[in-house]
Amino acid sequence: MTGGGKGRLFTVGLVTAWYSSNIGVLLLNKYLLSNYGFKYPIFLTMCHMAACSLFSYAAIAWLRLVPMQLPRSRLQLAKIAALSLVFCASVVSGNISLRYLPVSFNQAVGATTPFFTAVFAYLMTVKRESFLTYLALVPVVTGVVIASGGEPSFNLFGFIMCVGATAARALKTVLQGILMSSDGEKINSMNLLMYMAPIAVCLLAPATIFMEDNVIAITMELAKKDFNIIWYLLFNSSLAYFVNLTNFLVTKHTSALTLQVLGNAKGAVAVVISILIFKNPVSVTGMLGYTLTVIGVILYSEAKKRTKQ
């Protein structure tokens, strides 16, 4: 096999690993929080962050996948802590929404991330996009409105949590661009995760204690009846780290734009797989709404690409 062939095969392998880990953690979160009955989304998120802390340090300090970047100042650490807080809000809200909403609808709402990114970018940096870019956001939002009306398993609280998670994810992207934009503060995503994850654990631990009372004891009791819960949590937490690792590697070996396109397709794949696994009812109206949202996201990506050329 030629060097180019090996390179393409390696890239396909990375994308497959990214898809598998991303969709896998989403479906396993849904299974644990909804079907299995493990109703502790904050504790689950804390397990994810603890795994990200350990694996990130091992990957950078021991395996040297990327050079270690030390924080340059207390101010930079404060900025990382702010990002970590927003990141926690996003992941916890997303996990809570999975208790009440099917994965298919969760992904439809999550596809509106470009809309919230454009809003926050304008509010915080007064950055204006082209008219075509804003126009492409119309089907993104319209599709979710249609999908909401046609969703048989619609739950208002779950919907609010899902919208909150999507908005927080967009806010983190904008904040990261603002806070880490100077040359002295640029830090790659692997190092950023290594510093954000332990801070997230410290933030989530008291929230878990006060909001999910006695969760450790309850988990131990569950483990006595079904030890599989421990394996589920360990595997799920490990997958949460590999989502970030493969995301970084795919971006490194392709481009941010390719990642965005692949991400749009990933959402559609996740919807199909979740419907096949969980057999949640899906209406024609809901699917039409989700399809319209995906088309809007693709148009948005194209409009953004043209403005950069």
Side-chain angles (χ1 to χ4, degrees):
M1 186 180 290
T2 63
K6 287 181 180 178
R8 280 192 293 274
L9 191 62
F10 178 71
T11 303
V12 169
L14 278 180
V15 171
T16 303
W18 179 56
Y19 265 47
S20 301
S21 58
N22 215 305
I23 296 172
V25 77
L26 180 69
L27 297 179
L28 194 48
N29 282 349
K30 174 64 179 175
Y31 174 74
L32 285 170
L33 295 167
S34 183
N35 298 59
Y36 189 85
F38 186 78
K39 300 177 180 178
Y40 306 102
I42 302 175
F43 178 70
L44 183 64
T45 307
M46 191 179 75
C47 291
H48 289 181
M49 293 301 102
C52 286
S53 301
L54 293 171
F55 285 127
S56 292
Y57 184 79
I60 295 172
W62 298 344
L63 299 178
R64 302 184 188 281
L65 290 183
V66 294
M68 182 174 285
Q69 296 173 279
L70 299 174
R72 294 174 180 267
S73 64
R74 289 183 180 179
L75 179 60
Q76 188 180 28
L77 270 177
K79 291 177 179 180
I80 292 172
L83 286 173
S84 186
L85 179 62
V86 177
F87 183 55
C88 283
S90 170
V91 179
V92 170
S93 300
N95 284 341
I96 291 173
S97 75
L98 285 170
R99 277 188 60 187
Y100 302 96
L101 297 176
V103 173
S104 52
F105 187 57
N106 181 282
Q107 288 294 286
V109 177
T112 62
T113 301
F115 168 76
F116 289 102
T117 304
V119 170
F120 286 127
Y122 178 76
L123 291 175
M124 300 176 74
T125 65
V126 200
K127 181 184 176 183
R128 293 176 181 270
E129 300 287 355
S130 68
F131 175 73
L132 277 177
T133 303
Y134 287 124
L135 190 63
L137 291 172
V138 174
V140 171
V141 178
T142 305
V144 170
V145 173
I146 293 171
S148 301
E151 175 53 52
S153 307
F154 182 82
N155 178 281
L156 182 59
F157 178 70
F159 176 70
I160 292 169
M161 287 292 101
C162 196
V163 170
T166 306
R169 189 159 54 244
L171 179 59
K172 176 188 169 288
T173 301
V174 175
L175 278 176
Q176 188 171 328
I178 297 170
L179 298 179
M180 302 294 171
S181 58
S182 66
D183 290 335
E185 293 189 331
K186 283 183 180 176
I187 184 170
N188 67 53
S189 59
M190 294 295 292
N191 276 273
L192 184 60
L193 180 65
M194 184 178 69
Y195 294 117
M196 280 174 53
I199 296 171
V201 172
C202 294
L203 292 170
L204 292 167
T208 301
I209 292 167
F210 288 110
M211 298 175 71
E212 297 179 338
D213 190 38
N214 217 20
V215 63
I216 301 294
I218 292 169
T219 304
M220 291 300 102
E221 282 299 313
L222 279 172
K224 289 177 184 177
K225 298 174 185 176
D226 181 13
F227 194 76
N228 284 334
I229 183 64
I230 301 299
W231 295 118
Y232 288 148
L233 289 173
L234 288 173
F235 182 61
N236 184 244
S237 300
S238 300
L239 271 183
Y241 169 72
F242 283 104
V243 168
N244 291 281
L245 175 63
T246 52
N247 185 85
F248 171 78
L249 292 174
V250 170
T251 306
K252 182 180 177 182
H253 289 277
T254 56
S255 68
L257 182 63
T258 302
L259 189 75
Q260 193 174 33
V261 173
L262 291 170
N264 297 338
K266 175 187 64 64
V269 173
V271 167
V272 173
I273 293 175
S274 69
I275 291 170
L276 291 174
I277 292 176
F278 297 113
K279 301 188 181 344
N280 53 283
V282 180
S283 67
V284 175
T285 305
M287 287 308 295
L288 283 173
Y290 180 67
T291 303
L292 183 60
T293 297
V294 172
I295 291 170
V297 171
I298 293 169
L299 291 173
Y300 175 82
S301 301
E302 283 297 312
K304 288 277 286 183
K305 186 168 69 174
R306 289 187 181 186
T307 57
K308 288 179 181 178
Q309 287 176 349

